């Protein structure tokens, strides 16, 4: 987790694919953090399948709410790759982010090209497409 002030993700990216889930400040951050457990099955499946994929959960949280969010993070997101953006840098550097929350999970290939948009946790068709893309290595 970063403190949101740096404006970039410090984690070393070693995998070919990245799944980014972005939550903007219009959503209840504490509520969304409490649902991150839903991603655990997908993360476990990716890990055990041998398909190289890294997960990033990015939350746009106003700086004044940072302390409040830290408690929720400690309880519900321990050990998960959660990034807190208190300055809105992620959204400013990615102006094409969809406004619909169900379109905010996106899969990037090794060239950082978006190859799939949608939530594999809540949509079995998206999940199937994701696994097919990973198997094909595209």
């Amino acid at each position: 987790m970063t403190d949101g002030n740096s404006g970039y993700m410090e984690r070393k990216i070693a995998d070919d694919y990245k799944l980014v889930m972005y939550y903007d400040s219009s959503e209840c951050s504490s509520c969304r953090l409490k649902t991150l457990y839903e991603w655990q099955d997908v993360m476990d499946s990716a890990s055990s399948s041998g398909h190289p994929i890294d997960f990033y959960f990015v939350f746009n949280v106003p700086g004044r709410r940072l302390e409040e969010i830290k408690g929720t993070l400690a309880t519900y997101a321990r050990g998960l790759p959660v990034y807190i953006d208190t300055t809105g840098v992620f959204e400013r550097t990615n102006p094409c982010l969809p406004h619909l929350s169900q379109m905010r999970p996106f899969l990037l290939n090794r060239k950082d090209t978006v190859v799939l948009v949608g939530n594999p946790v809540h949509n079995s068709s998206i999940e199937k497409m994701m696994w097919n893309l990973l198997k094909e290595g595209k």
Side-chain angles (χ1 to χ4, degrees):
M1 176 181 82
T2 63
D3 64 5
N5 295 324
S6 62
Y8 64 94
M9 293 181 187
E10 297 173 358
R11 186 172 176 196
K12 183 180 179 200
I13 298 172
D15 293 325
D16 290 337
Y17 289 90
K18 296 164 260 322
L19 191 134
V20 177
M21 180 60 208
Y22 175 69
Y23 300 94
D24 73 11
S25 60
S26 70
E27 300 180 68
C28 170
S29 298
S30 293
C31 302
R32 290 296 179 196
L33 281 166
K34 291 176 183 177
T35 64
L36 287 182
Y37 73 89
E38 295 175 338
W39 287 89
Q40 197 61 54
D41 285 342
V42 173
M43 294 172 72
D44 291 344
S45 294
S47 178
S48 65
S49 70
H51 298 298
I53 182 170
D54 225 344
F55 292 84
Y56 299 90
F57 301 96
V58 181
F59 286 81
N60 181 334
V61 176
R64 67 184 185 282
R65 294 195 52 231
L66 186 58
E67 288 305 314
E68 169 192 337
I69 294 300
K70 284 183 179 180
T72 307
L73 275 171
T75 303
Y76 294 99
R78 185 175 303 276
L80 292 177
V82 173
Y83 299 87
I84 302 298
D85 180 3
T86 59
T87 59
V89 171
F90 187 83
E91 193 167 321
R92 282 195 310 276
T93 58
N94 297 285
C96 295
L97 288 169
H99 293 288
L100 297 172
S101 61
Q102 62 266 36
M103 303 301 284
R104 290 209 184 123
F106 46 93
L107 183 67
L108 301 160
N109 66 13
R110 65 184 61 85
K111 296 178 183 177
D112 286 335
T113 302
V114 176
V115 293
L116 183 65
V117 176
N119 193 328
V121 171
H122 296 140
N123 186 320
S124 59
S125 296
I126 296 292
E127 182 181 17
K128 185 176 179 179
M129 285 188 272
M130 181 185 84
W131 293 122
N132 286 336
L133 283 167
L134 292 171
K135 286 176 190 171
E136 294 171 7
K138 293 186 178 178

